[in-house]
């Protein structure tokens, strides 16, 4: 990604929970169209970092910029990011169509445009015929692909995926990772993956290791 445009710029991100428990400071950049991974064991601070960027945790120090503009002083709903979780986080009482359309309706997007965009997303994740089904009628892999469609339909600048393959078998996990890679490449979205599995991080363009709440160079992380 040499010479590309910096999409996300994290500078000295620090979250203090107590004098003894601190995540950071962490600094890294994610380029436009890059598939980027934060790799590290459970409890090392990866998810806290993601939550700080998404606005669900408050920074104790440092800053976050998106396209050169401060992001950390905006509320979560104004950060223009998409989120994919390990447990899918779909609304069980809504159909697949309504799950994907949920964010668009909050933004009061035209009904016809919602239909077109949801249809495009279902084609993208190779689930064109499941719009009327409910999450419980889908496999785990299908539910995660719906979650990716829901995250992408609002055309976010950055897509965060927190252990997105953790509940999937290897075949479905590979399919999800290829979808995320395609999102970075074809939709020009910066994708930030959080994972503890090196084989999952290997799908990304670039990765950094997080250990004990700090980033480590790959050459010295072992």
């Amino acid at each position: 990604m040499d010479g590309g445009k910096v999409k996300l710029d994290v500078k000295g991100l620090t979250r203090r929970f107590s004098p003894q428990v601190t995540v950071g400071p962490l600094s890294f950049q994610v380029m436009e169209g890059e598939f980027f991974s934060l790799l590290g064991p459970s409890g090392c601070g990866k998810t806290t970092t993601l939550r700080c960027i998404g606005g669900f945790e408050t920074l104790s120090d440092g800053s976050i910029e998106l396209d050169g503009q401060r992001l950390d002083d905006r509320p979560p709903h104004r950060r223009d990011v998409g989120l994919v979780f390990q447990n899918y986080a779909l609304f069980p009482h809504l159909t697949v169509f309504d799950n994907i359309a949920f964010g668009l309706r909050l933004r009061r997007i035209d009904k016809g445009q919602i239909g077109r965009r949801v249809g495009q997303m279902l084609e993208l994740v190779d689930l064109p015929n499941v719009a009327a089904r409910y999450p419980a009628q889908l496999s785990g892999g299908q539910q995660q692909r719906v979650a990716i469609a829901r995250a992408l339909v609002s055309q976010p600048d950055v897509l965060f995926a927190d252990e997105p393959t953790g509940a999937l078998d290897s075949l479905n996990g590979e399919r999800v990772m290829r979808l995320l890679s395609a999102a970075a490449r074809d939709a020009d979205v910066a994708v930030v993956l959080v994972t503890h599995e090196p084989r999952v991080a290997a799908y990304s363009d670039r990765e950094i290791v997080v250990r004990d709440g700090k980033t480590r160079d790959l050459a010295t992380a072992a």
Side-chain angles (χ1 to χ4, degrees):
M1 296 289 170
D2 294 341
K5 176 185 174 184
V6 176
K7 174 62 72 171
L8 181 69
D9 194 358
V10 176
K11 303 176 181 179
L13 180 153
T14 305
R15 178 68 170 99
R16 297 185 186 91
F17 295 97
S18 71
Q20 294 78 31
V21 181
T22 299
V23 172
L26 295 93
S27 298
F28 57 89
Q29 293 180 330
V30 184
M31 313 305 288
E32 189 173 72
E34 182 177 24
F35 189 2
F36 178 86
S37 288
L38 292 172
L39 172 65
S42 298
C44 71
K46 307 184 304 298
T47 296
T48 296
T49 300
L50 184 152
R51 289 178 58 81
C52 285
I53 298 171
F56 305 107
E57 293 281 356
T58 301
L59 289 183
S60 302
D61 200 1
S63 66
I64 305 164
E65 294 183 0
L66 182 66
D67 288 327
Q69 302 295 317
R70 283 292 291 264
L71 186 70
D72 49 275
D73 57 358
R74 303 181 201 171
H77 68 276
R78 293 190 56 227
R79 296 202 179 194
D80 202 17
V81 301
L83 298 169
V84 177
F85 302 99
Q86 177 177 339
N87 64 353
Y88 323 134
L90 300 177
F91 299 114
H93 62 289
L94 297 181
T95 65
V96 167
F97 184 99
D98 290 334
N99 263 283
I100 298 172
F102 186 81
L104 299 180
R105 287 175 175 150
L106 288 180
R107 299 183 182 193
R108 299 187 178 181
I109 302 296
D110 174 78
K111 185 176 180 180
Q113 187 177 353
I114 289 176
R116 287 191 296 273
R117 286 167 65 171
V118 171
Q120 290 169 354
M121 288 299 103
L122 286 171
E123 291 286 347
L124 176 69
V125 299
D126 197 25
L127 292 171
N129 301 314
V130 303
R133 297 185 191 177
Y134 289 87
Q137 297 174 299
L138 305 178
S139 69
Q142 288 173 325
Q143 289 187 61
Q144 192 62 293
R145 284 146 63 194
V146 170
I148 292 171
R150 184 180 62 182
L152 288 174
V153 74
S154 297
Q155 300 171 332
D157 286 311
V158 183
L159 175 66
F160 295 107
D162 190 359
E163 302 282 6
T165 65
L168 303 178
D169 59 38
S170 59
L171 184 61
N172 279 304
E174 180 178 356
R175 193 167 196 174
V176 163
M177 295 309 298
R178 293 190 184 282
L179 272 174
L180 292 173
S181 180
R185 183 182 66 249
D186 301 332
D188 217 16
V189 176
V191 176
V192 179
L193 172 74
V194 167
T195 184
H196 67 279
E197 297 188 48
R199 65 177 182 81
V200 173
Y203 283 90
S204 60
D205 301 314
R206 184 166 57 96
E207 63 196 67
I208 61 172
V209 172
V210 181
R211 185 170 296 167
D212 300 325
K214 295 179 174 60
T215 54
R216 306 289 182 91
D217 185 271
L218 284 177
T220 61

